[in-house]
């Protein structure tokens, strides 16, 4: 019965989100978490269940592998160099912003500020799925994670509005990928492609288990990210991974519902005010870096905005922006850079946490 409610709630939230195009993938996830919290508060679903534990443990690992499999390095290297450089500068802005935000909040939140900074940094290089990975990897307290998650969604939505307003020029059409990415959200799937995605993703999770056991050095999630990045480039299989992101998003929906259902609403409402400033600090720093680099490399406004959205909101918001401005090549740029962000964001989230832990007192 709980599983039926989870899938029904996910369908409801994602269906609503599709009718508000400019919000794209951001608000559907936040809406799902809030809806699960409501159902838990009024007693329709339990606050604790073994199913939630399952969705927050092995399933989320599988989902991380799925969203990473879809990245193709061959598409990335076809991008103009100035787009790649501005993307790198924007990413550095998110990292520096994460460090500044963690430092600012450290006096009040202690080590938790480092974790929240890592969560936001990963989100503002990849997406909300990477924030979920940080929650599992760093064991971020649930009320901090959900509260920050909600703030992240609101700030990202406002930033998307600003980017749509800013992107008021025209983009040049050029060939980037074999697929322009316009079917990103409605990608065609087959039984073979679904089975290939599941087989490879499960194999990656098992391989990561052995890597942690016999090699160590890194957390399981980082091993999964590395193995999935390499597996996604396999010539024989990579054409079957077009549905990997969609499968990963479905699996993440169960995770987000379970997170909302077990959350303490009162604790979220009593969040320290310091946390409210953290996403603002990161996006402000990111915006400075990306605008300066765009001016340096003479990149137009629409491409700059799509690159920013690929980092801050993920491929979904980048595609929404490109579709709003009717730039077909921008759709492919948003997807390629957005999926790349998903693939590497976990590493930089962990980097921010470890660096803050090293330079600041615990």
């Amino acid at each position: 019965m709980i599983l039926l409610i989870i899938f029904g709630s996910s369908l409801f939230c994602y269906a609503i989100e599709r009718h508000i195009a400019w919000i794209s993938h951001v608000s559907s996830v936040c809406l799902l978490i809030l809806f699960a919290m409501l159902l838990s508060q009024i007693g329709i679903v339990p606050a604790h269940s073994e199913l939630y534990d399952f969705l927050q443990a092995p399933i989320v690992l599988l989902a991380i592998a799925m969203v990473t499999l879809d990245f193709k390095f061959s598409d990335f290297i076809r991008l103009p160099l100035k787009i790649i450089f501005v993307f790198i500068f924007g990413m550095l802005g998110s990292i520096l912003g994460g460090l500044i935000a963690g430092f600012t909040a450290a006096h009040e939140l202690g080590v938790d500020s480092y974790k929240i900074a890592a969560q936001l940094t990963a989100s503002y290089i990849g997406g909300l799925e990477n924030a979920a990975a940080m929650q599992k990897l760093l064991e971020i307290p649930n009320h901090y994670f959900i509260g920050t998650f909600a703030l992240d969604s609101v700030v990202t939505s406002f930033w998307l509005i600003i980017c749509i307003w800013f992107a008021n020029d025209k983009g040049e059409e050029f060939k980037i990928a074999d697929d322009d990415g316009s079917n990103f959200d409605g990608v065609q799937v087959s039984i073979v492609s679904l089975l290939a995605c599941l087989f490879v993703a499960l194999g990656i999770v098992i391989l990561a288990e052995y890597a942690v056991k016999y090699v160590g050095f890194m957390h399981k999630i980082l091993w999964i990210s590395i193995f999935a990045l390499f597996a996604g480039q396999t010539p024989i299989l990579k054409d079957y991974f077009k549905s990997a992101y969609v499968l990963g998003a479905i699996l993440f929906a169960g995770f987000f519902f379970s997170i909302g259902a077990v959350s303490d609403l009162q604790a979220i409402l009593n969040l320290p005010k310091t946390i409210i400033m953290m996403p603002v600090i990161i996006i402000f720093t990111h915006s400075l870096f990306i605008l300066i680099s765009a001016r340096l490399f003479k990149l137009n406004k629409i491409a700059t905005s799509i690159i920013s959205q690929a980092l801050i909101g993920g491929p979904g918001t980048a595609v929404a922006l490109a579709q709003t401005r009717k730039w077909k090549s921008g759709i492919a740029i948003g997807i390629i850079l957005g999926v790349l962000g998903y693939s590497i964001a976990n590493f930089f989230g962990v980097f921010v946490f470890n660096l803050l832990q090293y330079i600041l007192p615990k």
Side-chain angles (χ1 to χ4, degrees):
M1 186 58 149
I2 299 176
L3 198 59
L4 177 66
I5 293 173
I6 290 174
F7 279 113
S9 300
S10 302
L11 174 61
F12 172 73
C13 294
Y14 277 89
I16 287 179
E17 177 248 7
R18 290 304 176 268
H19 290 88
I20 311 176
W22 63 269
I23 296 181
S24 191
H25 291 282
V26 178
S27 67
S28 59
V29 171
C30 191
L31 183 61
L32 180 58
I33 291 174
L34 294 174
F35 192 61
M37 288 174 60
L38 173 64
L39 295 180
S40 177
Q41 293 293 317
I42 62 180
I44 293 180
V45 297
H48 302 283
S49 169
E50 291 183 0
L51 179 60
Y52 299 156
D53 296 334
F54 178 68
L55 292 171
Q56 293 179 36
I59 290 298
V60 77
L61 297 178
L62 198 60
I64 291 168
M66 289 285 191
V67 297
T68 308
L69 276 175
D70 195 34
F71 174 69
K72 295 180 179 62
F73 186 73
S74 57
D75 288 342
F76 175 70
I77 60 177
R78 295 183 193 177
L79 292 173
L81 277 177
K82 60 182 179 181
I83 287 179
I84 295 174
F85 283 131
V86 172
F87 175 83
I88 292 171
F89 271 87
M91 184 175 65
L92 291 174
S94 295
I95 294 169
L96 180 60
L99 292 170
I100 295 171
F103 179 81
T104 303
H107 69 284
E108 183 175 353
L109 302 176
V111 176
D112 286 332
S113 71
Y114 314 161
K115 296 179 179 181
I116 295 169
Q119 174 186 335
L120 288 169
T121 302
S123 179
Y124 292 155
I125 292 176
L128 296 177
E129 290 83 353
N130 298 101
M134 290 300 101
Q135 197 269 347
K136 181 170 178 57
L137 196 155
L138 301 176
E139 298 179 347
I140 302 171
N142 225 43
H143 60 289
Y144 280 163
F145 173 72
I146 297 297
T148 305
F149 204 94
L151 285 170
D152 181 353
S153 180
V154 171
V155 172
T156 301
S157 295
F158 277 113
W159 185 244
L160 177 56
I161 296 172
I162 292 171
C163 285
I164 291 174
W165 167 80
F166 180 74
N168 57 6
D169 54 2
K170 294 291 183 181
E172 178 186 356
E173 298 292 352
F174 48 89
K175 183 72 173 175
I176 300 173
D178 296 329
D179 180 2
D180 68 6
S182 56
N183 64 342
F184 176 63
D185 199 34
V187 62
Q188 293 182 352
V189 299
S190 67
I191 293 176
V192 174
S193 67
L194 292 175
L195 289 174
C197 291
L198 288 169
F199 173 76
V200 174
L202 282 168
I204 287 169
V205 172
I206 293 171
L207 189 60
E209 296 270 5
Y210 281 104
V212 170
K213 184 177 180 180
Y214 294 108
V215 180
F217 182 61
M218 292 188 299
H219 190 278
K220 188 190 307 178
I221 288 176
L222 299 183
W223 281 115
I224 289 173
S225 299
I226 290 174
F227 292 146
L229 266 173
F230 280 100
Q233 316 313 312
T234 307
I236 299 175
L237 293 174
K238 65 180 181 180
D239 289 338
Y240 293 111
F241 294 151
K242 292 181 179 179
S243 58
Y245 172 81
V246 176
L247 280 172
I250 292 171
L251 296 178
F252 265 119
F255 168 80
F256 291 130
F257 185 95
S258 65
I259 285 291
V262 303
S263 296
D264 184 348
L265 182 59
Q266 190 59 44
I268 293 170
L269 294 175
N270 293 328
L271 279 176
K273 293 181 181 178
T274 311
I275 293 179
I276 298 175
M277 291 304 301
M278 294 180 73
V280 177
I281 290 170
I282 298 174
I283 287 190
F284 178 75
T285 310
H286 160 86
S287 66
L288 288 179
F289 270 67
I290 206 161
L291 289 173
I292 292 171
S293 62
R295 188 173 181 83
L296 180 65
F297 293 105
K298 298 179 180 178
L299 190 64
N300 59 24
K301 292 180 180 180
I302 188 170
T304 303
S305 299
I306 288 172
I307 294 167
S308 179
Q309 280 304 313
L311 286 161
I312 299 298
T317 59
V319 168
L321 194 157
Q323 289 174 335
T324 300
R325 290 302 183 185
K326 297 180 174 58
W327 187 29
K328 189 175 181 181
S329 296
I331 295 174
I333 292 170
I335 291 172
I336 293 167
L337 295 181
V339 175
L340 172 61
Y342 277 148
S343 304
I344 62 178
N346 294 338
F347 299 100
F348 292 109
V350 171
F351 169 77
V352 165
F353 172 78
N354 287 333
L355 186 56
L356 285 169
Q357 200 171 37
Y358 178 76
I359 62 178
L360 295 176
K362 297 183 180 179

